[in-house]
Amino acid sequence: MTTQTIIQNSQILLPSGDFKRGDVTIEAGQIVAVGDRATPADDATRIDGTGLTLLPGVIDPQVHFRDPGMTHKEDLFTATCACAKGGVTSFLEMPNTLPLTTTQEILTDKLALAASQCLVNYGFFIGATAENWADLNRATPTCGIKIFMGSTHGPLLVDKAEATERIFATGQRLIAVHAENQARIVERRQQFAGRTDPAVHSQIQDNQAALLATQLALKLSKKYQRRLHILHLSTADEAELLRQDKPDWVTAEVTPQHLLLDVSAYEKIGTLVQMNPPLRTVRDREVLWQALLDGVIDFIATDHAPHTLAEKAKGYPNSPSGMPGVETSLPLMLTQAMAGRCEVAQVAQWMSTAVAQAYQIPNKGLIEPGYDADLVLVDLDTYRPVRREELKTKCGWSPFEGWNLTGWPVVTLVGGQVVYNRGQIDTTVRGKALRFDG
């Protein structure tokens, strides 16, 4: 029995960045032919791509799926249903679950849980503490080490320069940093104590708090020639720093919310846009966009970090920071492309190809023979609003509710298996653990 699947008559994004109308043939989970009209086997699965655009599946390199330990907000199953609907075929998840992902034993347990629950491919960071240097460099498989330089509490907070430096000085593994200076945040919390307007969050965790931490991480990366990734860059100050001083081994990402929302959103939806690092000014947004277009910022991540509406309704400063994003990230960015802000090929580069390259994930991020058939067919002609009742994320809301978007996924494939098809999710599909060749 064949395992052949043919995607017929779509506009295919080629590795060159050009588009070609034709067919893609998939066998045993891999792409075997691209472009020419295929001759399907008698029992092949045929997917009609007429009027649709075929892109490599999104690799979201920063998510918080809350599993284990906080599954009232989200779990690996609900999160990956949302991924499938959003065209996200692989994700890299952060270590701030319960228990914290700080040892090989906990990482192994998390991988086993993912194998049973995830509809898409998965990888996990190992979390740095001030004490677990040995685990950081031995745990496998992992996409890298995560350091929270600020905006957290407990063992994952590594806010002393000497502890941070020891992590950079030991081993070769990629280090990804949440770059906010905790001492400045604490000082400014005292300065703004008693304020309940959520907009004050952007003043407490201000541009300087982000810049100080990014400067330290960059300094240590250069001192030890250590591979560094700067998570969710949010300020013009950091973008301008990297424009002037960014070694070849340093990468950075930006979220759709930091590109598309600013501090004015607090007036409209309050704590639903409270996140770390916070939203910034219109100028910050514009500088981030230009840095992304110029290659100073390398790719896009959602920082999907859901909380329930009840938790968000507690009022600032008791409301938690974070928002969902995996279902809307691709349509948000493709809508920007159709509006002329960027090109569709650039969106695929930022949301798939560049991520696979940075994390050295083999056979992902391109549509060409030999690559895994992690693919998404999108409709660039139809616009539809973000509706709360249609979301698959367990938290059930989006900061982009009501936004009229195009580029919604029509069909999503993971390893050649159709996991999402015109509104229906096949919950029997399971992704695989990602490999990291670095």
Side-chain angles (χ1 to χ4, degrees):
M1 180 179 175
T2 183
T3 57
Q4 187 184 77
T5 297
I6 311 289
I7 301 172
Q8 298 176 311
N9 199 38
S10 69
Q11 281 286 106
I12 306 162
L13 177 61
L14 303 175
S16 65
D18 297 323
F19 286 89
K20 178 179 181 179
R21 182 170 296 285
D23 297 351
V24 170
T25 304
I26 300 162
E27 293 180 0
Q30 286 199 325
I31 298 165
V32 297
V34 175
D36 296 328
R37 183 168 293 280
T39 303
D42 290 342
D43 57 352
T45 299
R46 294 170 173 83
I47 299 171
D48 184 9
T50 303
L52 304 176
T53 299
L54 187 66
L55 303 175
V58 172
I59 305 171
D60 191 333
Q62 189 192 175
V63 301
H64 303 262
F65 283 168
R66 311 302 191 196
D67 195 355
M70 293 171 281
T71 55
H72 67 286
K73 304 173 191 278
E74 190 79 277
D75 58 58
L76 287 168
F77 176 77
T78 59
T80 55
C81 286
C83 283
K85 182 170 176 284
V88 176
T89 55
S90 300
F91 67 83
L92 305 180
E93 210 241 6
M94 290 298 161
N96 54 333
T97 46
L98 297 174
L100 305 174
T101 314
T102 55
T103 68
Q104 178 69 66
E105 180 183 14
I106 297 169
L107 175 62
T108 299
D109 289 345
K110 207 170 186 181
L111 285 161
L113 180 63
S116 70
Q117 298 295 314
C118 287
L119 280 64
V120 304
N121 305 313
Y122 47 90
F124 299 104
F125 280 88
I126 187 83
T129 72
E131 311 294 338
N132 70 334
W133 307 300
D135 291 285
L136 294 182
N137 294 299
R138 283 201 303 256
T140 187
T142 183
C143 48
I145 298 164
K146 168 67 177 287
I147 302 179
F148 286 90
M149 301 174 77
S151 291
T152 193
H153 58 274
L156 285 182
L157 177 61
V158 183
D159 60 342
K160 300 294 187 289
E162 56 271 21
T164 305
E165 180 160 5
R166 184 173 293 196
I167 296 166
F168 273 86
T170 307
Q172 303 296 320
R173 183 166 280 170
L174 176 149
I175 295 173
V177 294
H178 179 125
E180 289 189 280
N181 181 280
Q182 186 69 7
R184 183 171 177 85
I185 292 171
V186 170
E187 174 188 332
R188 290 179 70 78
R189 276 180 186 154
Q190 295 169 351
Q191 183 179 341
F192 290 93
R195 295 277 295 274
T196 59
D197 176 1
V200 79
H201 189 63
S202 293
Q203 296 176 263
I204 293 171
Q205 295 177 214
D206 66 350
N207 287 36
Q208 186 68 7
L211 180 62
L212 288 169
T214 295
Q215 286 173 327
L216 175 59
L218 187 61
K219 174 184 173 183
L220 293 174
S221 173
K222 291 163 65 179
K223 180 176 180 178
Y224 295 103
Q225 303 282 292
R226 188 67 181 266
R227 172 77 175 87
L228 170 66
H229 179 64
I230 302 166
L231 299 159
H232 43 42
L233 205 76
S234 65
T235 70
D237 310 72
E238 294 167 284
E240 289 166 353
L241 170 66
L242 292 183
R243 188 178 291 278
Q244 299 300 320
D245 185 12
K246 187 188 177 205
D248 291 342
W249 60 86
V250 174
T251 52
E253 72 187 30
V254 66
T255 70
Q257 49 269 37
H258 285 117
L259 293 173
L260 300 173
L261 299 171
D262 55 60
V263 291
S264 66
Y266 288 116
E267 288 185 28
K268 299 170 186 173
I269 55 174
T271 58
L272 294 187
V273 290
Q274 178 189 332
M275 65 174 294
N276 299 326
L279 298 182
R280 308 297 185 185
T281 66
V282 172
R283 177 179 178 271
D284 287 301
R285 275 203 302 118
E286 293 301 317
V287 172
L288 290 171
W289 259 111
Q290 196 58 53
L292 180 63
L293 290 165
D294 292 344
V296 175
I297 296 174
D298 300 273
F299 48 84
I300 288 169
T302 66
D303 193 19
H304 177 99
H307 300 282
T308 67
L309 285 167
E311 289 167 334
K312 281 289 192 176
K314 289 180 178 178
Y316 191 81
N318 299 313
S319 47
S321 293
M323 60 182 76
V326 292
E327 280 171 270
T328 54
S329 59
L330 183 58
L332 283 166
M333 295 307 300
L334 289 174
T335 301
Q336 294 298 303
M338 298 309 290
R341 193 77 191 254
C342 57
E343 302 292 333
V344 172
Q346 287 177 300
V347 172
Q349 171 73 16
W350 298 330
M351 300 189 76
S352 189
T353 312
V355 181
Q357 292 168 346
Y359 284 97
Q360 298 185 43
I361 307 170
N363 304 321
K364 304 285 187 190
L366 291 173
I367 304 177
E368 67 175 353
Y371 274 65
D372 295 335
D374 298 335
L375 302 166
V376 58
L377 275 168
V378 299
D379 181 354
L380 294 173
D381 295 323
T382 303
Y383 284 76
R384 196 172 76 249
V386 178
R387 297 186 177 99
R388 182 176 295 189
E389 62 271 18
E390 295 178 358
L391 296 172
K392 299 300 181 183
T393 174
K394 186 182 282 190
C395 73
W397 61 272
S398 167
F400 298 103
E401 187 173 359
W403 285 43
N404 201 37
L405 305 180
T406 191
W408 289 98
V410 177
V411 179
T412 304
L413 295 93
V414 174
Q417 301 177 87
V418 176
V419 66
Y420 177 79
N421 188 358
R422 294 171 169 83
Q424 301 300 311
I425 295 175
D426 184 347
T427 59
T428 67
V429 172
R430 290 294 176 267
K432 295 180 180 179
L434 295 169
R435 199 173 90 227
F436 308 99
D437 284 354

